[in-house]
Amino acid sequence: MSDMSYVRSEMLPERAPPASSVGVVGWMRQNLFSGIVNSILTIVSLILIYMVLAAILPWVFSPTWNGTSQNDCREIVGNGHHAACWGVINDRWQQLLFGFYPNGSEGGADQRWRPIVAFALLFVAVTPVLFNMISRRMNWVLLLAVLGLTGLYLGGAVGMIVGLVLLGAAGFVGFKALSTDKEARAAEIEAGAKRLPNPLIFSAIYPFIAPWLLWGGTIWLPIAAALGFVIGYFAFVFASRALGSLIGIIVAVVAAIIWWMVLTSVFANAVDSILPIGLEAVESRKFGGFMLSITIGVVAIACSLPIGIVLALGRQSDLMIVKALCVGFIEFIRGVPLITLLFVASTLLNIFMPPGTNFDIILRVLIMVTLFASAYMAEVIRGGLAALPRGQYEAADALGLDYWKAQRLIIMPQALKISIPGIVSTFIGVFKDTTLVSIIGLLDPLGLSNAIRADQAWNGLVWELYGFIALLFFVFCFSMSRYSMYLERRLHTGHR
Amino acid sequence: MYHMTSMTDPHQGQFRLSMLLYDSRYRSMTIQIIALIGFLILVFWLISNTAQNLADLGKQPSFGFMSEPAGYDINQRLLDYNSQDTHLRASLMGLLNTLLVAALGCIAATIIGVVMGVLRLSPNWIVSRLAAVYVEMFRNVPVLLWIVFTMAILIETLPAPSAFRKGEAAMKLWDTVAVTNRGVYIPEPLFSNSLGNIHLFGQSSLRFDVSLDLLAIAFVFFGGLFISRIIKRRADATQEATGDRPTTWYWRLGVVVIPTAVVLTLLGLHWGYPELKGFNFKGGTHMRNSLIALWLALSLYTGAFIAEIVRAGIMAVSKGQSEAAGALGLRSNRIMSLVILPQALRVIIPPLISNYLNLTKNSSLAIAVGYMDITGTLGGITMNQTGRELETVLLLMAVYLVISLTISGVMNWYNESVKLKER
């Protein structure tokens, strides 16, 4: 029987694929030379890449980092060679980053640590909102570390001690956070271990810290401004208990506005005269460079978020007049270019205000850019609201929640979560658009590059400055857009 | 049911003031009236402040300055203009320049965007990476930076007209186009048997000439297109009736090309080439650097966004659609035109038009390179010369608002017409 079988009784071993379809060769055959058209495209692309790199690279790699002027650079690279003069960046990069923020050259202390700390704290403040894979304790580690490093930098006996203590605390919490994993921590909390406070507390007080760090002045002013919210809250609690929630809201808003308009500066001055604590005040006109761009971008986005929410709700509401007002505002702002709004800031805003008011140009630009951003923000949030299934609204109604409770507890948390990628995109757009302020004469990086070019030593240098500015913008915007894409992917997987 | 409603109906008691707040029938009305009153107070406050401030400055708001002589020159313009003309005419030149660069930019951005969007989906690794590099490079750097950068490239790297005299530079495309650092000179069409112009609106600020030559050419060309459509429709009818499609492409091409060519010959079309005379080029159409820089930068910047839209649009059509069409026996070009494109366009067109809108608004950055668009004329020199900030900025905003609303009106109309008709 066995001699009759001519059919193979066992499988042949798999043979290795031919050399031309695996490894580098196989990959190239598949992706670069899979046909005549593809081969031509590949060769054309390679030639193109070679030409661009051959033109740019020798220019970029020039040993002129220490050149002190354009002529100096020319001597370094030798006559006839066309090469970059990086000395201008070496000489002016601090100005391109900080503008004319006090650096100690005109007497007084170097204040540039303040924008750096404000920026680092901004990162700490947004992490609990934007990166939910960072644990609560790591967030506190970040905060303590930033504050500790600031203390060490400021030096002095007090600064040293406070800095070391804070860094030690950061190290301790960080070590504990790294040594216990998620499940163990959950068990600890279950057993009654104390949790650290929610880091969102810091996110909430950051809006008062940042302006104080940037503009300086007495610390009592931001504290007084924050007190306005406390006063509004208590007014709401008492008034709504006596008169109902709608009246309560009105009373709270009126009380807070009266506090801010009339009493804040009085209170701040009074306390400051008793207990003067503060930083050296820095005028807005000294702001410049990327610090100005980031300040305008962050302030505009932060302030436009609540306005945008209100506008989006107004646009979605059944109240005809409210809806008409919101649609009119949004469409008007979106219909005109930002530059016309900046013209309003530079020439008209003072005319619209009561006679005698005169606030500085950066504040006016901030107001107009905020209005601009809030119209776009409203559309982003409206998209988030529209993406929520109707069942969510109906379920909130079925639970008997009133309009504001439904928005606060059910609708907004979900709608805002869906909108985060859109909000980040809006932020990228606004951040890029801050370059427009150079047209009305503010010293953002582009405006500064014109000023630097007017200098005798760097007369007429274009590529180096534009290249540096473009690179910094690219790094910022590209990383944010990657983040937003990552977020979009993450939001897609979850069920909404 | 009737009893139920009558039971839950609120009792029709006497109207009390508190019902304005606590009765849901009146509450929304109350809130709206409060909102309206608040809005009116705000508007009134702004207007009274403005009136007070302007009175203090001794300025009476009026648009009379628009009919005063402008006194400045506009170097790139589409209609005739001199510095004795009014501010109104200067603004009109600016508006036409805005529309010109917006139209040129939208066309170029669409071409660039479609090509790059398709290349990003290419199976060729290098090509798709190159397209991705292009998209990220342009999307993540401010458009204003691109505009001034392009302007710097044009000024610094292109040869001066004097280089052409010394023989260091040569004209391109068989000596018809001169690319210099003062702009590009291209041939212009001239007619030796011109029919002349119709002059409209006399000597007013809105005057313009309509070229009868162009009218005649347009008439013949579009007439040809119309006849060609009739031929197509009859061929369609024949195909429906008999199943055979008559070959008509030479008829359809002929009725468009031949009459147009005859008219062009009768008008005596010839080209006026740029020539180097003295220190500069004369003849031909001069496109200034500012126009070219703005055009290039805006189209490359917007093209990067359009590339992403096109990519998303094509990827949005599921593979099953083309496979199903193939299973029905359609050829690949028919699959593209009958199945893929109609579905992809529904995704592509709305964001595409909003990008056209952005490009138009971004063209206001012309002021950075000295291109005299409406922001450069009305919002720039006119505002500075007359000191009428309020009036000029309001006019400027109104102009852009009209442009934007027109474009978004077109978008809404299109969206309605291609919306999936669900039954």
Side-chain angles (χ1 to χ4, degrees):
Chain A
M1 224 157 111
S2 62
D3 52 355
M4 276 180 67
S5 77
Y6 53 88
V7 178
R8 207 183 280 281
S9 61
E10 78 278 4
M11 290 290 280
L12 270 180
E14 264 181 31
R15 267 204 244 159
S20 60
S21 67
V22 289
V24 179
V25 177
W27 183 86
M28 276 171 58
R29 274 178 70 131
Q30 209 171 7
N31 290 302
L32 301 181
F33 301 100
S34 60
I36 296 175
V37 180
N38 244 341
S39 307
I40 295 173
L41 275 178
T42 303
I43 291 167
V44 170
S45 310
L46 285 176
I47 294 173
L48 189 75
I49 293 174
Y50 172 77
M51 278 165 55
V52 170
L53 290 185
I56 290 181
L57 285 185
W59 180 83
V60 169
F61 290 105
S62 76
T64 47
W65 184 250
N66 291 320
T68 52
S69 74
Q70 213 182 356
N71 292 331
D72 198 30
C73 286
R74 284 207 192 105
E75 276 173 29
I76 293 174
V77 294
N79 251 345
H81 288 284
H82 190 63
C85 179
W86 294 116
V88 63
I89 306 298
N90 187 16
D91 188 32
R92 298 299 183 98
W93 66 271
Q94 302 185 344
Q95 198 178 30
L96 282 171
L97 291 186
F98 296 104
F100 295 96
Y101 209 80
N103 57 4
S105 64
E106 297 162 13
D110 187 351
Q111 302 287 338
R112 287 171 303 178
W113 61 273
R114 282 156 49 177
I116 296 175
V117 171
F119 186 67
L121 288 180
L122 169 70
F123 188 72
V124 176
V126 295
T127 34
V129 186
L130 296 187
F131 301 92
N132 61 1
M133 71 274 190
I134 289 187
S135 73
R136 182 176 279 206
R137 285 188 293 181
M138 285 318 278
N139 222 314
W140 283 106
V141 171
L142 276 179
L143 177 59
L144 292 172
V146 170
L147 293 179
L149 288 175
T150 312
L152 285 188
Y153 170 81
L154 289 180
V158 182
M160 279 297 191
I161 294 167
V162 171
L164 285 176
V165 168
L166 287 176
L167 279 181
F172 176 70
V173 177
F175 175 73
K176 276 192 73 176
L178 289 178
S179 57
T180 48
D181 61 353
K182 243 181 177 173
E183 285 79 28
R185 180 65 183 160
E188 273 177 33
I189 293 169
E190 195 74 6
K194 248 192 184 165
R195 294 195 76 178
L196 285 171
N198 192 335
L200 280 173
I201 295 173
F202 177 72
S203 308
I205 59 172
Y206 177 77
F208 301 98
I209 300 176
W212 177 64
L213 277 173
L214 291 178
W215 276 275
T218 168
I219 196 175
W220 298 109
L221 198 61
I223 290 180
L227 267 181
F229 285 99
V230 179
I231 288 170
Y233 174 74
F234 280 111
F236 172 74
V237 169
F238 288 120
S240 62
R241 208 169 285 161
L243 300 162
S245 67
L246 192 67
I247 302 235
I249 291 176
I250 296 172
V251 169
V253 170
V254 170
I257 287 178
I258 289 176
W259 170 259
W260 284 323
M261 300 292 268
V262 185
L263 296 170
T264 303
S265 57
V266 178
F267 170 83
N269 288 338
V271 184
D272 190 50
S273 60
I274 303 167
L275 192 63
I277 304 175
L279 290 168
E280 184 189 320
V282 177
E283 291 168 58
S284 306
R285 64 184 173 82
K286 302 210 163 169
F287 283 38
F290 274 94
M291 192 196 127
L292 179 66
S293 300
I294 295 174
T295 308
I296 295 176
V298 170
V299 169
I301 286 299
C303 297
S304 69
L305 200 56
I307 305 177
I309 291 176
V310 171
L311 285 173
L313 289 178
R315 193 170 185 168
Q316 294 281 64
S317 82
D318 306 325
L319 311 174
M320 202 184 58
I321 297 175
V322 175
K323 185 174 177 175
L325 290 178
C326 291
V327 171
F329 177 82
I330 293 173
E331 293 304 325
F332 170 71
I333 297 280
R334 279 159 46 92
V336 298
L338 177 58
I339 187 71
T340 57
L341 295 175
L342 292 178
F343 282 158
V344 170
S346 71
T347 61
L348 292 182
L349 211 52
N350 273 340
I351 295 182
F352 292 153
M353 292 292 120
T357 8
N358 188 12
F359 43 100
D360 74 276
I361 178 77
I362 295 211
L363 197 55
R364 283 181 273 155
V365 165
L366 280 177
I367 292 174
M368 293 318 288
V369 178
T370 302
L371 291 182
F372 177 77
S374 50
Y376 287 83
M377 195 61 90
E379 289 298 278
V380 167
I381 292 167
R382 186 169 74 114
L385 288 173
L388 275 194
R390 273 216 68 75
Q392 296 292 325
Y393 293 86
E394 287 162 2
D397 283 348
L399 285 175
L401 298 177
D402 68 14
Y403 178 77
W404 292 108
K405 277 210 177 102
Q407 292 295 342
R408 189 160 54 83
L409 299 172
I410 311 275
I411 308 298
M412 270 303 151
Q414 302 183 70
L416 285 181
K417 190 180 140 201
I418 304 174
S419 318
I420 289 182
I423 293 174
V424 176
S425 307
T426 312
F427 178 68
I428 297 176
V430 170
F431 183 57
K432 283 191 295 178
D433 280 345
T434 55
T435 46
L436 266 63
V437 299
S438 64
I439 292 180
I440 58 166
L442 294 189
L443 292 174
D444 83 314
L446 217 50
L448 275 173
S449 80
N450 292 331
I452 293 172
R453 232 189 334 265
D455 186 332
Q456 194 68 39
W458 311 113
N459 200 351
L461 281 181
V462 184
W463 313 112
E464 295 84 352
L465 289 167
Y466 286 164
F468 180 72
I469 298 167
L471 183 72
L472 277 187
F473 267 109
F474 181 83
V475 169
F476 267 100
C477 298
F478 184 71
S479 46
M480 278 189 288
S481 77
R482 286 291 122 161
Y483 167 72
S484 149
M485 282 161 77
Y486 147 80
L487 210 59
E488 237 163 297
R489 271 200 305 277
R490 206 182 70 193
L491 291 179
H492 261 290
T493 54
H495 48 87
R496 297 200 289 258
Chain B
M1 205 59 199
Y2 176 73
H3 294 284
M4 287 279 292
T5 35
S6 69
M7 270 169 70
T8 51
D9 247 9
H11 58 98
Q12 306 290 322
Q14 212 179 354
F15 179 77
R16 278 167 284 112
L17 212 54
S18 63
M19 280 165 73
L20 282 180
L21 265 186
Y22 296 112
D23 192 322
S24 56
R25 285 172 302 174
Y26 305 115
R27 178 187 253 187
S28 68
M29 197 54 78
T30 317
I31 295 175
Q32 297 205 60
I33 287 173
I34 291 175
L36 188 63
I37 290 173
F39 175 71
L40 289 179
I41 289 176
L42 180 70
V43 170
F44 178 76
W45 183 70
L46 289 176
I47 291 179
S48 70
N49 283 340
T50 311
Q52 178 70 41
N53 281 317
L54 287 180
D56 290 351
L57 291 170
K59 287 185 195 171
Q60 282 301 315
S62 100
F63 288 95
F65 69 95
M66 288 299 274
S67 53
E68 289 163 13
Y72 59 90
D73 207 22
I74 298 176
N75 48 31
Q76 178 96 48
R77 56 180 184 256
L78 290 174
L79 301 182
D80 76 300
Y81 168 88
N82 60 56
S83 58
Q84 294 310 305
D85 276 316
T86 60
H87 284 294
L88 179 61
R89 186 150 183 92
S91 310
L92 183 67
M93 298 298 113
L95 177 61
L96 289 177
N97 278 344
T98 294
L99 296 178
L100 171 73
V101 78
L104 287 176
C106 286
I107 294 169
T110 312
I111 295 171
I112 296 173
V114 169
V115 170
M116 284 298 172
V118 172
L119 286 186
R120 270 206 81 172
L121 291 173
S122 156
N124 188 316
W125 187 82
I126 288 194
V127 170
S128 70
R129 282 311 128 101
L130 273 184
V133 166
Y134 157 76
V135 168
E136 296 299 347
M137 207 169 82
F138 275 88
R139 277 202 317 179
N140 290 313
V141 172
V143 62
L144 182 59
L145 197 55
W146 280 119
I147 292 173
V148 291
F149 197 73
T150 319
M151 187 69 176
I153 290 180
L154 293 184
I155 291 179
E156 304 256 326
T157 61
L158 294 179
S162 59
F164 288 81
R165 179 157 298 287
K166 294 178 200 149
E168 291 162 3
M171 287 169 71
K172 304 277 188 303
L173 293 178
W174 306 282
D175 276 358
T176 56
V177 176
V179 181
T180 76
N181 65 356
R182 292 190 196 170
V184 175
Y185 297 80
I186 55 174
E188 61 174 339
L190 296 172
F191 301 102
S192 44
N193 312 323
S194 176
L195 299 173
N197 296 323
I198 304 179
H199 190 76
L200 292 180
F201 299 120
Q203 286 304 308
S204 73
S205 297
L206 297 175
R207 68 180 184 273
F208 69 98
D209 293 338
V210 180
S211 160
L212 285 177
D213 307 323
L214 288 184
L215 271 187
I217 295 167
F219 179 75
V220 171
F221 180 76
F222 286 108
L225 279 185
F226 181 69
I227 295 173
S228 153
R229 276 190 69 137
I230 293 180
I231 296 175
K232 174 180 183 284
R233 219 169 284 159
R234 292 185 58 176
D236 284 347
T238 317
Q239 189 182 13
E240 294 273 313
T242 65
D244 286 327
R245 192 179 179 86
T247 317
T248 54
W249 64 266
Y250 46 87
W251 279 110
R252 294 186 57 194
L253 199 64
V255 291
V256 178
V257 172
I258 295 173
T260 314
V262 168
V263 168
L264 287 179
T265 323
L266 285 180
L267 289 173
L269 172 78
H270 60 278
W271 296 95
Y273 296 110
E275 274 175 68
L276 190 59
K277 283 190 180 147
F279 293 109
N280 224 330
F281 280 90
K282 292 270 156 43
T285 302
H286 181 193
M287 295 170 79
R288 284 180 181 269
N289 270 340
S290 48
L291 170 63
I292 294 176
L294 191 66
W295 178 29
L296 273 182
L298 284 178
S299 6
L300 285 170
Y301 181 78
T302 314
F305 289 86
I306 294 180
E308 284 297 278
I309 294 168
V310 169
R311 186 173 77 115
I314 294 176
M315 282 168 65
V317 182
S318 73
K319 210 169 158 51
Q321 293 288 325
S322 53
E323 287 170 355
L328 285 176
L330 291 178
R331 273 178 279 121
S332 64
N333 59 341
R334 290 247 145 188
I335 293 178
M336 198 44 145
S337 64
L338 294 177
V339 178
I340 309 263
L341 271 188
Q343 298 186 60
L345 281 182
R346 190 173 287 136
V347 182
I348 291 174
I349 298 273
L352 183 69
I353 294 182
S354 95
N355 265 298
Y356 288 164
L357 199 59
N358 284 342
L359 189 146
T360 311
K361 285 191 285 174
N362 281 338
S363 73
S364 60
L365 300 180
I367 199 168
V369 286
Y371 177 69
M372 298 297 265
D373 74 331
I374 182 104
T375 313
T377 53
L378 181 62
I381 305 183
T382 293
M383 178 164 83
N384 291 336
Q385 279 190 359
T386 59
R388 296 278 176 181
E389 293 93 359
L390 183 68
E391 295 88 337
T392 48
V393 172
L394 283 182
L395 266 183
L396 190 60
M397 286 181 157
V399 168
Y400 277 111
L401 211 53
V402 168
I403 297 177
S404 303
L405 291 181
T406 312
I407 295 179
S408 56
V410 170
M411 175 167 93
N412 289 341
W413 168 80
Y414 178 85
N415 270 346
E416 278 303 310
S417 67
V418 301
K419 204 163 70 178
L420 277 178
K421 308 282 189 297
E422 286 182 34
R423 273 174 276 269

